[in-house]
């Protein structure tokens, strides 16, 4: 099946194509449209035509349409989950239980949020009434990554549409299929043509043309810090609103008084879910010294027990990495860790999977110790199934180690001491801190990073604010 552009309410043929690879098999299984500036121009033009009607559509009606999309995603969960698994290499069970349900929840949540959103009004000394209008921007761009394709694409599209904008979205060329299918579902739901447009293809070609388009009023981007830095420079030239959610090198702090059963189980999940290809993964495991040996032993045992295999097999815990290029990068990072003096406690090699996956891009879940905070392995985002262990001696030491990178996206903290939990959480340089949990999300809360992990916030009312422009109206009484 080919992944096409979705422009003005329908899929359109492509003039050029890219191969679409199945990571678990290490071979192409279809094609994806390779868009250029002319495709982007058609998509933006369709969005511009649709904007006057869509922005004037009552919020309750927009809400009903978004809720219909959510129901269709739920209806097609199995089809979408399989497409996501084939495209990304992640276990089918993960796609079916997390990615696709969350995509439906994104539409459901913002369908509710836009009908409950309120503005402000201020009587001014009985002389005037000041009130705030929050108006949609127009055409907005949403660029999403390959690790959580439909999950994060809908996280951006849903609030933009709910607020009355028209969207041109560009998914990753490595994982295009669920975006293609989303276009079908939006058309079936009755979303007006041009309201949502999806342009497939390469970032330097299609993505660059979209970011540079003079009619694009805002950009929501999730991806690498390198690309985010480039996009920030480009959008600054035109004073375009921008939200950037970028890389992470997230710490996971385990104090000796923690519930170690729960801490170890969730630490393994945080390190290796989706093959470590989540920006929120806890790749730096910091353990208070009295508990270090016990935690290390438990982590090694659990990590070695993870089953690497065919993503379509229900028994698989760990699937394939997304591409050959990314596989080579992760393997190179493992070699760097060895050169830096790291001791591999578990994994550390390419994984062999027989049968149809014998040529796939699999890496064993890997734990490494013996590396200091300033080495490359503890400073650079690997974005694979690789985690390091470091001991600490006090809360102050733990905070210093946790904050010792240029990133600040997420952190986890395990302790039974509630006072310490609050104190340490406040000192961590992270956009989100989980205490005695990981990846427990509430869609009402703001999400984003600090330092080189991001600019701006998404989620809840912050997302609706981002996709609107406040206007103050002062009426003299």
């Amino acid at each position: 099946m080919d992944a096409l552009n979705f422009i003005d309410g329908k899929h359109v043929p492509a003039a050029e194509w890219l191969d679409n690879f199945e990571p678990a098999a290490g071979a192409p299984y279809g094609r994806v449209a390779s868009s250029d500036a002319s495709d982007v121009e058609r998509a933006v033009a369709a969005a511009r035509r649709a904007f006057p009607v869509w922005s004037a559509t009552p919020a309750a009606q927009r809400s009903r349409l978004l809720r219909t999309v959510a129901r269709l995603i739920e209806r097609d969960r199995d089809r979408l989950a399989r497409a996501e698994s084939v495209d990304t290499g992640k276990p089918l069970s993960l796609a079916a239980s997390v990615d696709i349900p969350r995509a439906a929840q994104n539409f459901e949540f913002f369908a509710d949020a836009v009908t409950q959103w309120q503005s402000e009004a201020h009587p001014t000394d009985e002389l005037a009434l000041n009130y705030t209008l929050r108006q949609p921007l127009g055409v907005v761009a949403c660029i999403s990554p390959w690790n959580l394709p439909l999950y994060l694409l809908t996280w951006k599209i849903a609030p933009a549409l709910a607020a009355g904008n028209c969207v041109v979205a560009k998914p990753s060329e490595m994982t295009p299929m669920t975006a293609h299918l989303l276009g079908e579902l939006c058309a079936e739901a009755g979303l007006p043509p041009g309201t949502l447009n999806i342009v497939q293809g390469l970032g330097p070609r299609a993505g660059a043309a979209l970011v540079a388009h003079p009619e694009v009023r805002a950009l929501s981007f999730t991806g690498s810090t390198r690309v985010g830095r480039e996009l920030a420079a480009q959008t600054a030239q035109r004073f375009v609103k921008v939200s950037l959610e970028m890389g992470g090198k997230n710490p996971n702090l385990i104090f000796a008084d923690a519930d170690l059963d729960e801490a170890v189980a969730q630490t393994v999940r945080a390190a290796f879910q989706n093959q470590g290809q989540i920006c929120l993964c806890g790749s730096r495991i910091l353990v208070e010294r009295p508990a270090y040996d016990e935690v290390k032993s438990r982590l090694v045992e659990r990590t070695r027990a993870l089953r690497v295999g065919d993503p379509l097999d229900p028994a698989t815990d760990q699937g394939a990495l997304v591409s050959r290029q990314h596989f080579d990068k992760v393997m190179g990072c493992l070699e760097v860790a060895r050169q830096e003096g790291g001791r591999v406690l578990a994994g550390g090699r390419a994984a062999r999977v027989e049968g149809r996956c014998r040529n796939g891009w699999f890496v064993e879940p890997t734990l490494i110790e013996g590396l200091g905070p300033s080495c490359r392995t503890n400073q650079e985002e690997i974005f694979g199934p690789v985690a390091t262990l470091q001991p600490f001696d006090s809360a102050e030491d733990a905070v210093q180690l946790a904050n010792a990178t240029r990133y600040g996206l997420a952190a986890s903290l395990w302790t039974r001491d509630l006072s310490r939990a609050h104190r340490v959480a406040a000192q961590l340089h992270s956009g989100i801190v989980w205490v005695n949990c990981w990846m427990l999300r509430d869609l009402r809360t703001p999400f984003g990073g600090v330092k080189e992990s991001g600019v701006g916030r998404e989620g809840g009312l912050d997302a609706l604010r981002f996709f609107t422009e406040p206007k103050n109206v002062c009426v003299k009484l």
Side-chain angles (χ1 to χ4, degrees):
M1 183 176 180
D2 294 333
L4 299 172
N5 291 338
F6 182 74
I7 299 175
D8 210 12
K10 58 184 179 297
H11 285 119
V12 295
E16 298 180 48
W17 298 94
L18 303 167
D19 285 334
N20 189 18
F21 284 82
E22 180 181 5
Y29 80 96
R31 301 182 300 174
V32 54
S34 181
S35 303
D36 60 16
S38 64
D39 298 297
V40 170
E41 181 60 45
R42 284 191 288 273
V44 172
R48 286 183 61 196
R49 289 192 298 271
F51 177 68
V53 173
W54 181 247
S55 60
T57 300
Q61 186 174 340
R62 296 199 302 267
S63 174
R64 285 193 293 271
L65 288 169
L66 295 186
R67 203 179 305 281
T68 300
V69 176
R71 298 289 82 77
L72 294 175
I73 291 173
E74 291 172 344
R75 182 198 70 186
D76 288 1
R77 185 193 69 168
D78 292 345
R79 179 191 185 204
L80 291 166
R82 185 178 179 89
E84 204 77 298
S85 176
V86 170
D87 247 7
T88 64
K90 71 176 61 188
L92 177 60
S93 58
L94 181 64
S97 62
V98 175
D99 294 59
I100 307 309
R102 172 59 188 273
Q105 290 166 16
N106 288 337
F107 275 100
E108 189 83 41
F109 174 84
F110 287 106
D112 286 338
V114 76
T115 64
Q116 305 300 315
W117 199 22
Q118 61 186 21
S119 188
E120 305 92 25
H122 305 283
T124 307
D125 298 327
E126 299 182 354
L127 298 175
L129 177 67
N130 282 272
Y131 63 90
T132 303
L133 298 176
R134 288 198 168 270
Q135 299 176 314
L137 301 170
V139 180
V140 299
C142 298
I143 299 179
S144 54
W146 49 257
N147 60 324
L148 304 170
L150 193 63
Y151 181 134
L152 291 179
L153 183 65
T154 56
W155 178 234
K156 299 176 182 299
I157 288 172
L161 294 177
N165 300 281
C166 292
V167 176
V168 179
K170 197 204 85 68
S172 170
E173 71 278 4
M174 290 189 285
T175 53
M177 190 52 66
T178 49
H180 172 92
L181 297 175
L182 179 64
E184 289 183 4
L185 298 184
C186 287
E188 183 181 348
L191 207 66
T195 307
L196 171 64
N197 305 274
I198 298 171
V199 177
Q200 307 273 11
L202 298 169
R205 194 175 188 215
L210 178 58
V211 172
H213 199 287
E215 296 295 332
V216 169
R217 297 286 309 281
L219 167 66
S220 176
F221 166 82
T222 298
S224 71
T225 297
R226 178 188 62 80
V227 175
R229 183 180 291 110
E230 295 172 1
L231 297 183
Q234 293 174 36
T235 53
Q237 299 297 315
R238 295 190 293 110
F239 303 103
V240 170
K241 290 184 75 173
V242 62
S243 174
L244 304 173
E245 194 265 281
M246 301 182 289
K249 192 69 177 176
N250 308 306
N252 188 339
L253 288 67
I254 303 176
F255 285 88
D257 72 329
D259 178 345
L260 295 187
D261 290 338
E262 182 69 8
V264 168
Q266 292 302 314
T267 294
V268 171
R269 176 172 165 256
F272 302 122
Q273 184 164 299
N274 202 41
Q275 298 73 250
Q277 298 171 135
I278 302 177
C279 56
L280 301 169
C281 278
S283 59
R284 293 185 297 133
I285 304 169
L286 312 177
V287 185
E288 194 170 17
R289 201 174 296 276
Y292 184 84
D293 289 339
E294 180 180 355
V295 170
K296 177 174 76 171
S297 176
R298 291 195 191 192
L299 288 174
V300 169
E301 181 181 6
R302 280 182 171 267
T303 300
R304 288 174 176 170
L306 293 173
R307 186 178 184 274
V308 180
D310 187 336
L312 301 181
D313 183 343
T316 291
D317 299 308
Q318 295 277 288
L321 300 190
V322 73
S323 68
R324 177 73 203 202
Q325 180 182 15
H326 192 55
F327 169 87
D328 289 341
K329 176 202 167 183
V330 172
M331 294 303 295
C333 290
L334 292 176
E335 182 57 32
V336 168
R338 291 186 177 93
Q339 293 172 1
E340 290 178 321
R343 296 185 296 277
V344 176
L345 304 174
R349 299 169 298 184
R352 302 298 178 189
V353 179
E354 299 304 322
R356 78 176 194 93
C357 297
R358 62 185 177 276
N359 295 318
W361 304 311
F362 296 86
V363 174
E364 295 175 342
T366 301
L367 286 174
I368 300 171
E369 72 168 351
L371 295 174
S374 62
C375 69
R376 287 179 58 187
T377 304
N378 279 322
Q379 287 292 320
E380 299 175 3
E381 186 179 37
I382 297 173
F383 217 63
V386 182
T388 62
L389 278 76
Q390 301 175 72
F392 65 84
D393 294 304
S394 66
E396 293 73 22
D397 185 27
V399 169
Q400 184 176 10
L401 286 172
N403 291 339
T405 75
R406 66 184 189 274
Y407 295 107
L409 186 56
S412 294
L413 165 62
W414 299 88
T415 180
R416 287 189 171 97
D417 186 332
L418 186 59
S419 176
R420 177 166 56 193
H422 287 296
R423 186 173 63 253
V424 172
Q427 296 173 13
L428 295 174
H429 298 166
S430 295
I432 185 169
V433 178
W434 282 292
V435 177
N436 296 329
C437 60
W438 178 74
M439 266 304 247
L440 186 58
R441 290 282 293 122
D442 186 322
L443 299 188
R444 294 171 294 183
T445 60
F447 174 79
V450 300
K451 299 192 289 190
E452 293 193 20
S453 286
V455 174
R457 291 294 181 268
E458 298 182 349
L461 297 184
D462 287 83
L464 293 176
R465 292 189 189 100
F466 174 75
F467 285 115
T468 55
E469 197 75 69
K471 176 188 291 185
N472 179 68
V473 178
C474 179
V475 180
K476 183 178 179 181
L477 299 177

